[in-house]
Amino acid sequence: MKPNNKVHNYKDEYYPPMPTRTTKFWRSCFIYQLYKFFVLNYKIMKMVVKGHS
Amino acid sequence: MAKVVVLGAGVSGHTAVAFLKKKLGKKHEVVMISPNSYYQWVPSNIWVGIGQMTVDQVRFKLDKVYKKWSVIYKQAKAISINPEGNSEISKGFVTVEYVVGDKQGQQEKVDYDYLVNATGPKLNFEATPGLGPKGHTVSVCAYDHAAHAWEELQKSLALMEQGKHQTFLIGTGHAMATCQGAAFEYALNVAFEVKKRKLEHLADIIWITNEYELGDFGMGGAFVKRGGYVTPTKVFAESILAEYGIRWIKRAGVNKIEKGIAHFETLAGEYKTQEFDFAMLIPGFAGAGIKAFGKDGNDITEKLFKPNGFMTVDADYTPKDFEDWSAKDWPETYQNPEYKNIYAAGIAFAPPHSMSKPMKTANGTPMFPAPPRTGMPSGVIGKVIAQNIANFIKNGATEHKHKASMSRMAAACIVSAGYGIRHGKAATMTVSPIVPDWDKYPEWGRDINATVGEVGLAGHWIKLLLHYMFLHKAKGYPFWWLLPE
Ligand SMILES: Cc1cc2nc3c(=O)[nH]c(=O)nc-3n(C[C@H](O)[C@H](O)[C@H](O)COP(=O)(O)OP(=O)(O)OC[C@H]3O[C@@H](n4cnc5c(N)ncnc54)[C@H](O)[C@@H]3O)c2cc1C
């Protein structure tokens, strides 16, 4: 069954937080994401190395 | 000269063989027994399943690499283990059956000084009638399955191009299935591809899961500190599904598939159905089904394996209530307590219990995700076992110098949410440790300062980088050992 696209409230999908246009912009902003790429890689690497002896 | 035999050339076994050979050199023998001629980087099968990568981009032939490393490679599957030997062979041995070539169907007894079982999961499609590529749904658990999924997906996309409505059902195909993360990625990628073609008005994409709450991912969920709040992964998972226009059915154990119809039981005990045009549902996992025999041929399978086929290791398997579970229950050396020269790596080891709270439906059907063992811990476990065995052989050590418990190891989950160098997206999540430790972290079960939860293009680049990095490592290209697991 195709969901009714007009009325949204009271459906599960109505309740979670949704990204704003600004959030979506930063998520795909090349320069900002390049910075994030290095930050996230560094954070992940630190955790990976710590986990086993 | 010592002889180490590894079963299974997956993430865990291949890592173990690489480090064993590197540490032991030519003086000792390392044998790999695996039925597949290819190594596959399983996480990238998601991209094969949406037509963004070819099968040959996610796999490579094993024989060339093993030749380079001087690893003896037998393209065969292990059938049974005789840990005490038998009347003819005084030491432990594995009975293997060749799967290709002149020797196909022939059996051989391969003796060992140390044995590493890294046979991963058996994809248990049979546990859900009608499930899987031989039934009415597709899978992305192996590269050939993923290629088939892409063929089927193209048919649905073509029908949509003709204006026909399509229902996509993606998630778990059994009440005890795990690997929700992979299915979740596939759902997001399918939604991304549908949107890219501007066909979303013709698609109803449904996420179906055995999780109590979304974002459980078989780890009992997690918390992420961001934007001034500590937020459960439930909110993250629901938010991204809603953003992608995917609706969901949770607390659902799929128990039968007919053409275009998935039957499922809910936690409340109702029996329901969901129609679909295209379904990708992850099967339940079981162990490889290897038997074990004593010196006189008696069946001792229960000494090595749990009833689900996974191998017993140094975990605390004492049955306990959910509230009494401890991080200390989880293994750290992966040694079989009965036969000290046998180890299990990656998905092949039997976890002491799940991480998600065990639940039963009103009709008594167990319904909760089995514990996942993702690529990173699987690789780390393979490496640690190899380091310990090499240390025993070369230095005569008797204690395990290297340890890796999933209750101390962290994990990074990069959930792909769309492919493309400029427009791709992924959710990057980290948890530390993987298994919650409520004694050490009484508030959130994990180190809240070590969590990351970000959605963006950077995540896609990281996922892509990991694809090339892990294939570089697996192929044994220069400086492979410097790359982390
Ligand atoms: C679609 C998908 C996406 C995923 N994405 C991610 C991700 O993004 N990140 C992540 O960390 N993890 C991911 N995972 C999980 C990851 O792939 C597994 O954790 C990892 O493959 C487990 O490694 P393993 O060596 O234990 O098992 P496997 O990689 O399954 O290897 C097992 C090997 O044993 C062989 N074998 C089986 N039976 C026998 C036998 N009788 N004798 C000898 N050999 C045998 C098999 O042929 C195989 O080569 C994903 C999984 C799937 C299915």
Side-chain angles (χ1 to χ4, degrees), chain B residues 12 39 83 86 92 106 125 139 188 237 284 286 315 330 334 353 358 368-369 415 420 444 447 477:
Chain B
S12 207
Y39 177 86
N86 64 6
Q106 276 181 32
F125 292 112
S139 152
L188 296 177
W330 287 76
Y334 304 88
H353 40 68
F368 56 97
V415 180
W444 310 108
D447 182 357
Y477 284 168

Side-chain angles (χ1 to χ4, degrees), chain B residues 14 94 114 135-136 147 163 165 198 205 214 229 266 271 276 280 283 303 306 365 373 418 448 465 469 481:
Chain B
H14 189 69
V94 190
Y114 289 92
H136 308 291
H165 181 267
K198 299 190 170 46
I205 309 177
L214 264 58
Y229 284 87
T266 67
Y271 291 99
F276 64 82
M280 197 301 288
K303 273 193 183 177
K306 294 288 174 200
T365 313
R373 273 140 297 161
I448 201 68
L465 173 77
M469 186 178 95
W481 63 89

Side-chain angles (χ1 to χ4, degrees), chain B residues 224-246:
Chain B
V224 173
K225 196 163 117 184
R226 260 211 103 204
Y229 284 87
V230 173
T231 311
T233 42
K234 167 188 182 339
V235 173
F236 271 89
E238 291 183 351
S239 173
I240 196 155
L241 286 185
E243 183 189 341
Y244 276 62
I246 301 171

Side-chain angles (χ1 to χ4, degrees), chain B residues 7-13 33-36 42-43 45-46 76-79 118-121 140-141 179 182 185 282 285 288 290 345-348 373-378 412 414 463:
Chain B
L7 311 177
V11 174
S12 207
I33 290 158
S34 197
N36 44 335
V42 182
N45 285 339
I46 299 294
K77 62 173 192 264
I79 293 170
T119 45
V140 287
C141 292
C179 221
E185 280 189 295
I282 300 270
F285 288 172
I290 299 170
I347 293 179
R373 273 140 297 161
T374 53
M376 203 171 95
S378 298
I414 322 283
K463 185 113 189 153

